[in-house]
C-alpha cells in the first residue's frame, strides 16, 4: 500500500533492509545519536524507528545502533 510509505523519507532508502544498512553505518561513522541523524536526514526519529520495526529491528541507545 503506497499510502503506508513514509513520504518524508524520500532522501533515504524506503526499503527497510537498505535503510538499516545506511542508518547503522551513518550512526557508527557520523552521528552520536539517532536524534542527530534524523535531524540531518530531515525526518523524525519515529519515522526511522517505524520503518526498521517492519523488519524487527529496534534502536539501542547504549550502542547507537539498530539491532
Amino acid at each position: 500500500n503506497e499510502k503506508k510509505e513514509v513520504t518524508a523519507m524520500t532522501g533515504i532508502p524506503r526499503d527497510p533492509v537498505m535503510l538499516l544498512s545506511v542508518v547503522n553505518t551513518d550512526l557508527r561513522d557520523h552521528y552520536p545519536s539517532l536524534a542527530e541523524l534524523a535531524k540531518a536526514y530531515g525526518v523524525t526519529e519515529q519515522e526511522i524507528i517505524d520503518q526498521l520495526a517492519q523488519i524487527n529491528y529496534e534502536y539501542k541507545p547504549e550502542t547507537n545502533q539498530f539491532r
Side-chain angles (χ1 to χ4, degrees), residues 13-27 41 48 51-52 55-58 65-67:
R14 290 175 179 242
D15 176 78
V17 175
M18 293 299 295
L19 180 62
L20 174 66
S21 176
V22 169
V23 166
N24 272 346
T25 298
D26 280 351
L27 285 170
Y41 284 0
I48 297 171
Q51 283 287 99
L52 295 178
I55 57 170
N56 299 315
Y57 276 76
E58 61 183 54
Q65 294 284 289
F66 280 85
R67 300 261 180 232

Side-chain angles (χ1 to χ4, degrees), residues 4-20:
K4 285 178 71 178
E5 291 283 349
V6 179
T7 56
M9 295 181 71
T10 57
I12 57 177
R14 290 175 179 242
D15 176 78
V17 175
M18 293 299 295
L19 180 62
L20 174 66

Side-chain angles (χ1 to χ4, degrees), residues 23 26-28 30-40 45 48 59 61 64-66:
V23 166
D26 280 351
L27 285 170
R28 181 191 69 216
H30 304 291
Y31 299 99
S33 69
L34 180 58
E36 289 190 36
L37 177 136
K39 183 177 178 182
E45 291 177 65
I48 297 171
Y59 182 63
N64 195 36
Q65 294 284 289
F66 280 85

